[in-house]
Amino acid sequence: MNVQTSSVMAPPAPRSIEGMLLPLAMMRDILIKTMFRMNLDLVSKISRAICLPIPVTQELVDMARGQLLLEATGTLNANSGNEMGYQLTDAGRARALDALGQSEYYGAMPVPLDIYRQQIQRQSIRNIQLTRDQLETAMGHLILPEDLLGNLGPAVSAGRSILMYGPPGNGKSSISNGIRDALGDKIYVPRAIEYSGQVITVYDPIVHSAAEDDVDDPNSLRRTSGRFDTRYVRCERPTVITGGELSLSMLDLVYNPTARTYQAPLQLKSTGGIFIVDDLGRQQEPPQTLVNRWIVPLEENKDILALQSGEKFEVPFDTLVVFSTNFHPNAIFDKAALRRIFYKIKIDGPNQEDYLKIFAMVARKRKMPLDEDTLVHLLNVRYPEIDNVYANYQPIFLIDQMISICEFEGIPYQMSPDLIDRAWANMFVKEEEIIH
């Protein structure tokens, strides 16, 4: 869903190897490792593999030739626009193998961390200004209390942390997803970044959705590659969703001892987007411990990561963090932690009127005919048993249960007091006396 109209400034493509601000030896080694691993011999193909413009790639090739690591094959390939071919010399192959022993990384040239910082500023989550219409469009499929969007909109536009709390089954996860859909615009995610000579991969197809209009035909890559620095992938704003499986170790750099490269932690992958911590309080670490890990990022917009050597360094923290919990905030946080979460929004269950709207909407989607006697029975007989506490998940649960019964019995979809009673019995577990 694209509801944003603003466009993010694209990262400009590098014009020379000096302007890339990477160690020359690193660039040379990535060039020859890529040629070795992918068996490439033409500058046009090499430039696509290392994601650099052809003139810059040619500069690197000429540098490697000057060091006697590459040599021209002496033939022009008529099928490739009469390009000169290049191959590794014996010294080049030896250097490639030695470089691969130090790091298996090859392919896209990394972006220096300081250059990436500049792009983060251009596409900051805090640059977004949402209107009520945009948020309503993204959440049009949800029936929400009238004042909720009024509270949620300013929180999202501020790009600061949000805590959503309230009883389970009332759409906190759906609202989080609606926030993601409301963002709508595209940003640029680096395939890899470089810090202190180390490569950290960032782009992750599981987290990042490449924009469809940038999936090019291979034959047109040379024509389109000049639009922006192709070391980046143009993507939807990322959304990372974690639940009970979240642990503190998942917020650290992941080192691959075989490849000798690093993988960005989840919060770095979510830069420019949203990090949703669902079901807070269900993780192994206490909620207070998890939030303590976020204190510096939330307050100072920067995170601190550590290399294998123990060296620590700062990375930008440009992420909208959404915490979602079924617990009351005072039960899981101290006052200092709560103070650092900028917006606290309670998500209550629906009132009876909204509950009936949800019930009718689900029934229509499931092609289940509504029955007035059944609804009267449900509201007057069943809900008083639970003190008339309504939840958003209940209509879906009850209707799906009745559908399953109808399909098993081989009868048309229908609802009746008897069917709703059978469905109701599966929604709750009765407190029964334990027999010793």
Side-chain angles (χ1 to χ4, degrees):
M1 180 180 300
N2 191 355
V3 296
Q4 279 286 335
T5 56
S6 62
S7 58
V8 166
M9 180 180 170
R15 297 184 176 183
S16 67
I17 55 177
E18 288 81 11
M20 292 178 61
L21 304 181
L22 285 171
L24 290 176
M26 170 184 263
M27 290 191 286
R28 177 205 65 200
D29 285 351
I30 290 176
L31 168 77
I32 61 175
K33 284 190 289 184
T34 303
M35 291 180 67
F36 181 82
R37 281 286 190 230
M38 300 179 69
N39 194 28
L40 301 176
D41 60 351
L42 299 176
V43 171
S44 59
K45 292 182 178 179
I46 298 168
S47 75
R48 295 173 200 171
I50 64 176
C51 300
L52 292 180
I54 286 178
V56 181
T57 304
Q58 185 68 58
E59 273 192 82
L60 281 174
V61 167
D62 292 342
M63 181 179 73
R65 282 186 72 190
Q67 297 176 6
L68 305 180
L69 301 175
L70 292 181
E71 61 186 2
T73 58
T75 57
L76 297 176
N77 192 324
N79 295 327
S80 302
N82 289 326
E83 279 192 66
M84 176 69 71
Y86 297 91
Q87 65 185 16
L88 294 170
T89 62
D90 289 344
R93 280 189 290 275
R95 177 60 209 159
L97 289 168
D98 185 49
L100 284 165
Q102 296 174 38
S103 168
E104 275 284 342
Y105 184 84
Y106 65 92
M109 207 64 69
V111 178
L113 176 57
D114 285 342
I115 299 295
Y116 179 41
R117 289 181 203 276
Q118 299 170 18
Q119 185 59 31
I120 290 174
Q121 291 178 350
R122 295 186 192 109
Q123 61 195 28
S124 173
I125 189 76
R126 296 179 181 89
N127 294 342
I128 283 184
Q129 289 299 316
L130 284 182
T131 65
R132 179 179 287 272
D133 287 345
Q134 289 169 338
L135 206 51
E136 285 179 348
T137 299
M139 300 198 184
H141 61 296
L142 301 175
I143 293 172
L144 302 171
E146 285 186 12
D147 62 343
L148 180 59
L149 290 185
N151 294 327
L152 199 57
V156 176
S157 289
R160 309 305 290 262
S161 50
I162 300 171
L163 171 64
M164 293 192 294
Y165 66 99
N170 285 310
K172 292 187 290 295
S173 299
S174 298
I175 293 168
S176 299
N177 292 332
I179 293 172
R180 173 197 62 195
D181 294 341
L183 298 181
D185 60 346
K186 310 291 191 298
I187 64 169
Y188 297 86
V189 177
R191 301 172 194 273
I193 59 177
E194 175 270 343
Y195 172 76
S196 191
Q198 302 297 317
V199 176
I200 303 167
T201 58
V202 178
Y203 175 72
D204 182 345
I206 296 173
V207 171
H208 301 108
S209 300
E212 291 182 9
D213 57 353
D214 289 316
V215 179
D216 289 307
D217 182 275
N219 296 323
S220 66
L221 274 172
R222 193 191 308 181
R223 178 175 56 82
T224 61
S225 62
R227 288 182 299 173
F228 63 88
D229 187 344
T230 55
R231 292 179 296 169
Y232 294 81
V233 182
R234 188 168 180 261
C235 297
E236 309 287 343
R237 286 190 179 267
T239 300
V240 171
I241 303 176
T242 64
E245 78 283 0
L246 178 64
S247 63
L248 287 175
S249 63
M250 295 166 69
L251 305 178
D252 295 330
L253 282 173
V254 178
Y255 182 67
N256 184 327
T258 304
R260 294 182 176 85
T261 57
Y262 293 87
Q263 186 179 117
L266 292 175
Q267 72 275 19
L268 188 54
K269 291 181 180 180
S270 68
T271 298
I274 305 178
F275 192 112
I276 298 171
V277 183
D278 209 358
D279 279 335
L280 187 65
R282 305 292 183 194
Q283 293 77 14
Q284 277 192 322
E285 280 101 350
Q288 183 72 46
T289 304
L290 284 171
V291 170
N292 286 346
R293 169 63 179 80
W294 294 90
I295 284 176
V296 170
L298 291 176
E299 284 201 333
E300 302 183 20
N301 301 329
K302 65 182 181 183
D303 197 9
I304 299 173
L305 301 176
L307 299 173
Q308 281 288 104
S309 63
E311 179 184 354
K312 294 184 178 181
F313 63 103
E314 291 181 5
V315 294
F317 186 83
D318 187 72
T319 301
L320 172 63
V321 182
V322 180
F323 298 103
S324 173
T325 182
N326 299 332
F327 298 97
H328 193 282
N330 292 338
I332 56 176
F333 296 128
D334 63 21
K335 291 181 180 179
L338 280 175
R339 190 174 66 246
R340 290 175 168 91
I341 299 175
F342 282 77
Y343 295 89
K344 295 91 171 170
I345 299 176
K346 188 176 183 185
I347 310 294
D348 277 321
N351 58 27
Q352 189 180 94
E353 180 183 355
D354 284 343
Y355 175 88
L356 289 173
K357 287 180 183 176
I358 296 168
F359 199 99
M361 182 179 70
V362 174
R364 185 171 63 252
K365 285 183 178 179
R366 300 289 203 271
K367 296 181 170 54
M368 167 67 80
L370 288 171
D371 178 75
E372 186 176 349
D373 289 342
T374 302
L375 289 173
V376 169
H377 175 77
L378 180 63
L379 297 180
N380 292 346
V381 176
R382 288 302 171 201
Y383 271 98
E385 297 175 358
I386 58 169
D387 299 323
N388 294 311
V389 176
Y390 302 100
N392 287 26
Y393 80 93
Q394 292 164 352
I396 299 170
F397 185 96
L398 294 170
I399 290 171
D400 283 351
Q401 288 275 333
M402 289 188 287
I403 286 174
S404 296
I405 295 169
C406 291
E407 289 177 344
F408 176 75
E409 300 292 353
I411 57 177
Y413 287 0
Q414 57 192 271
M415 59 177 67
S416 67
D418 175 60
L419 288 176
I420 208 85
D421 284 346
R422 291 173 67 180
W424 184 271
N426 286 327
M427 196 158 64
F428 301 103
V429 176
K430 293 181 180 178
E431 294 288 345
E432 296 180 350
E433 186 178 347
I434 299 175
I435 301 174
H436 296 284

